[in-house]
Amino acid sequence: MDLDWLAAYVDAWVLHGRAGGEDVEAMDRLLAFMSPEIRYEDVPTSAVFVGHEGVRAMAAQAHALAADLTFHPRHLAIGDGCFAFETETRGTQSGAVGPVKETNRPFVIRGISVGQVLDGLVTEHRDYWDLSSLLAQLGG
């Protein structure tokens, strides 16, 4: 596992919003990096997704939030069996976020993802992002 591996993973991960729609190729590309037992956590919402089916559910939720969701990686770091990367996320809300109904408002949020890798497969992935900023931009 090296920086090239992480760059390839991030390239697949940034497409998870599309993968949550009907982009089967994007989903296959993402799942190729993940252990079948992956534990994927969205920390701000306390949502935990387990296994490949969990990743499919996470991606579907991302797509439901904003069908035009895009992620722009800023910084990547890799260590002994772990990784981190920062992103800027943009989209137009097309689905509910908790109690906030669809607003069709654009948003920009920053976040960081960290995780663990074993034998070249992601076993843990945690996303941390600014929920209060998102809610403020959506009027919630």
Side-chain angles (χ1 to χ4, degrees), residues 56-118:
R56 290 179 194 282
M58 173 279 300
Q61 285 184 8
H63 183 75
L65 166 65
D68 65 348
L69 200 60
T70 60
F71 298 88
H72 307 278
R74 297 291 181 227
H75 303 284
L76 286 72
I78 197 153
D80 188 23
C82 61
F83 65 84
F85 57 91
E86 181 183 14
T87 56
E88 179 181 271
T89 304
R90 295 176 176 271
T92 307
Q93 184 201 16
S94 55
V97 177
V100 179
K101 303 295 183 218
E102 177 184 336
T103 64
N104 290 312
R105 290 184 181 170
F107 62 86
V108 179
I109 54 175
R110 292 173 49 193
I112 190 163
S113 298
V114 298
Q116 303 275 317
V117 178
L118 181 64

Side-chain angles (χ1 to χ4, degrees), residues 12-13 15-16 18-20 23-32:
W13 181 87
L15 300 176
H16 74 269
R18 285 183 24 200
D23 192 333
V24 174
E25 185 177 314
M27 180 58 74
D28 289 346
R29 186 173 167 196
L30 177 61
L31 292 177

Side-chain angles (χ1 to χ4, degrees), residues 1-11 33 76 78:
M1 188 177 80
D2 58 16
L3 200 52
D4 289 337
W5 177 93
L6 180 57
Y9 174 57
V10 171
D11 285 348
F33 283 94
L76 286 72
I78 197 153

